[in-house]
């Protein structure tokens, strides 16, 4: 495994977006993973639509018919991948722009840009997460966002942090050591793309520590999934 | 309860002091100055004086919370963000959105389990 890795340097990560006042983080995590997978499959970075999932994805957990994706009221990335496999794929942001609230579904199958071939859930093992990141592109992950409301920058590594998951984000890379502005402590870290706009965090990104002494910090290793895309020729 | 100032609160904290004036309790003037700067920076406007007063009290509580986070998370920088006038509950309800997976999804037996990849060499 390389010591440092960052898909942003390889063109597999789209622009930072802003979910606004809508509990749709899951759709941004899902679209970010599929943007990366589509890039790996085709060499093209397409900015994909979250609104299609907010409006049209009401997929439920296979094992619990009441646990369903529901627009601004929350969803799950793996269920969204299942929806995308059934719907045929995802339109572009341009064709189905983000509105920040749930509307009636306006999905147009003829405008699908990216298709999900398959998705996988990765074990709670940091080497496996890093290996899947390098192999399959950016990963859809969940995290406990307790420290993110006040986060400005640096490598977050709280002494105490719950592991119940309440936010969906995108893992785009990792670094071997980062510096905290005041304490110059070196911490290996994950690089995470958030969906709260560029005027939050480090230009929209968040760093959280990883490594043998800081495993699964804030639950970051607990719910990790990768997706692979098919090359869809545009009709 | 989250904002009860623990004994540790008294420690000086160089980072947060850039955001919040010295001393443990926020002076009225201090909070007002920071809040006015926050309003300008993020273009905030409130319905009326009552709403603004309430939001300023939430803001002051969040400054104390940022100071606590800084203490608990010293390798990051914590302070005023665009969410500083929201209670933790409002923040959670409006800007997160991860649904809890069903028990089965958590317990394992996941049909989409990823194969183990080689990580040495």
């Amino acid at each position: 495994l390389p010591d440092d890795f960052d898909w942003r340097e390889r063109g597999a990560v789209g622009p930072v977006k802003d979910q606004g006042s809508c509990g749709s983080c899951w759709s941004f995590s899902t679209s970010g993973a599929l943007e990366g997978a589509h890039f790996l499959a085709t060499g093209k970075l397409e900015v994909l639509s979250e609104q299609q999932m907010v409006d049209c994805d009401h997929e439920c957990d296979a094992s619990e018919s009441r646990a369903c994706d529901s627009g601004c009221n929350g969803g799950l990335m793996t269920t969204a991948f299942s929806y995308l496999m059934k719907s045929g794929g995802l339109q572009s942001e341009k064709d189905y722009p983000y509105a920040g609230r749930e509307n009636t579904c306006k999905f147009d199958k003829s405008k699908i840009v990216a298709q999900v071939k398959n998705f996988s859930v990765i074990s709670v093992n940091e080497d496996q997460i890093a290996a899947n990141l390098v192999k399959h592109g950016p990963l859809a992950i969940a995290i406990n966002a307790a420290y993110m409301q006040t986060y400005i920058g640096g490598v977050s590594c709280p002494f105490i942090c719950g592991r119940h998951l309440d936010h969906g984000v995108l893992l785009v890379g990792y670094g071997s050591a980062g510096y905290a502005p005041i304490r110059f402590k070196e911490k290996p870290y994950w690089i995470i793309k958030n969906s709260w706009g560029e005027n939050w965090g480090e230009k929209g990104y968040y760093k959280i520590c990883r490594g043998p002494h800081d495993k699964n910090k804030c639950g970051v290793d607990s719910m990790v999934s990768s997706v692979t895309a098919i090359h869809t020729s545009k009709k | 309860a989250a904002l009860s100032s623990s004994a540790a609160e008294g420690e000086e904290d160089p980072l947060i002091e850039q955001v919040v004036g010295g001393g443990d309790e926020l002076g009225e003037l201090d909070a007002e100055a920071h809040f006015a700067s926050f309003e300008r920076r993020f273009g905030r406007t409130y319905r009326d004086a009552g709403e603004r007063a309430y939001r300023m009290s939430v803001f002051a509580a969040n400054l104390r919370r940022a100071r606590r986070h800084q203490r608990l998370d010293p390798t990051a920088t914590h302070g005023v963000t665009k969410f500083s006038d929201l209670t933790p509950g409002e923040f959670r309800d409006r800007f997160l959105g991860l649904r809890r997976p069903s028990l089965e999804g958590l317990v394992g037996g996941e049909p989409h389990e990823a194969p183990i990849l080689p990580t040495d060499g």
Side-chain angles (χ1 to χ4, degrees):
Chain A
L1 285 171
D3 290 338
D4 298 76
F5 195 86
D6 190 339
W7 277 113
R8 295 176 296 181
E9 295 164 0
R10 300 158 190 263
V13 182
V16 170
K17 303 176 184 178
D18 194 337
Q19 69 188 73
S21 186
C22 165
S24 54
C25 65
W26 56 280
S27 67
F28 287 82
S29 177
T30 303
S31 67
L34 187 51
E35 285 172 357
H38 183 76
F39 174 81
L40 266 70
T42 67
K44 276 184 66 186
L45 182 65
E46 296 272 5
V47 180
L48 299 174
S49 169
E50 293 79 27
Q51 195 64 37
Q52 176 190 324
M53 289 182 270
V54 169
D55 293 348
C56 313
D57 170 7
H58 298 294
E59 185 77 7
C60 302
D61 274 10
S63 55
E64 196 172 323
S65 56
R66 282 169 301 116
C68 313
D69 290 347
S70 50
C72 291
N73 296 313
L76 216 48
M77 290 74 90
T78 45
T79 327
F81 290 140
S82 296
Y83 155 75
L84 291 172
M85 289 178 81
K86 292 176 184 172
S87 70
L90 193 54
Q91 292 186 234
S92 69
E93 172 72 32
K94 186 165 33 61
D95 288 341
Y96 204 141
Y98 188 65
R101 65 180 179 282
E102 186 171 346
N103 294 316
T104 49
C105 179
K106 295 180 281 298
F107 176 49
D108 179 347
K109 212 174 175 75
S110 71
K111 291 185 177 170
I112 285 175
V113 163
Q115 268 188 295
V116 172
K117 180 157 80 176
N118 199 350
F119 68 93
S120 299
V121 176
I122 297 151
S123 59
V124 188
N125 172 302
E126 294 205 336
D127 282 349
Q128 286 302 308
I129 292 170
N132 278 275
L133 176 75
V134 172
K135 183 177 170 86
H136 296 299
L139 303 176
I141 67 169
I143 194 168
N144 177 301
Y147 285 79
M148 296 173 77
Q149 184 177 0
T150 60
Y151 174 80
I152 291 179
V155 175
S156 182
C157 198
F159 299 132
I160 309 163
C161 188
R163 289 182 175 169
H164 67 276
L165 304 171
D166 54 16
H167 191 37
V169 286
L170 186 71
L171 182 63
V172 299
Y174 58 85
S176 47
Y179 283 84
I182 290 280
R183 292 172 176 78
F184 299 104
K185 266 201 194 91
E186 295 218 356
K187 286 271 181 189
Y189 56 92
W190 295 117
I191 305 169
I192 290 173
K193 180 185 180 187
N194 200 355
S195 49
W196 293 342
E198 286 196 350
N199 65 346
W200 175 87
E202 294 196 355
K203 293 191 174 60
Y205 283 83
Y206 182 61
K207 288 180 194 162
I208 189 164
C209 58
R210 65 185 178 91
H213 311 295
D214 300 305
K215 277 200 178 85
N216 202 13
K217 190 61 81 171
C218 303
V220 70
D221 302 340
S222 305
M223 189 194 285
V224 181
S225 49
S226 70
V227 64
T228 46
I230 306 168
H231 185 196
T232 317
S233 55
K234 243 178 160 179
K235 293 183 183 61
Chain B
L3 297 169
S4 66
S5 57
S6 66
E9 288 291 331
E11 288 161 38
E12 274 312 297
D13 196 299
L15 250 193
I16 282 294
E17 300 323 310
Q18 289 167 4
V19 176
V20 181
D24 198 25
E25 276 316 304
L26 265 178
E28 199 62 37
L29 211 54
D30 232 356
E32 171 63 50
H34 282 290
F35 188 57
S37 154
F38 166 82
E39 285 178 298
R40 282 193 302 276
R41 184 173 153 205
F42 293 106
R44 282 290 190 283
T45 54
Y46 300 103
R47 190 180 52 243
D48 54 33
E51 166 71 3
R52 184 180 185 275
Y54 170 66
R55 286 298 158 193
M56 191 168 102
S57 68
V58 170
F59 178 83
N62 280 332
L63 287 189
R64 285 191 293 274
R65 197 157 155 262
R67 173 178 288 172
R68 203 161 67 86
H69 281 179
Q70 188 62 65
R71 195 155 285 106
L72 289 168
D73 185 13
T75 54
T77 306
H78 289 272
V80 174
T81 69
K82 62 183 183 180
F83 302 120
S84 290
D85 64 342
L86 297 177
T87 63
E90 288 169 326
F91 170 72
R92 233 184 349 262
D93 293 346
R94 299 185 201 176
F95 293 93
L96 302 186
L98 187 81
R99 175 169 63 75
R100 209 159 295 289
S102 59
L103 195 58
E104 168 118 346
L106 278 177
V107 168
E110 172 64 49
H112 293 269
E113 199 123 350
I116 295 296
L117 295 178
T119 57
D120 44 357

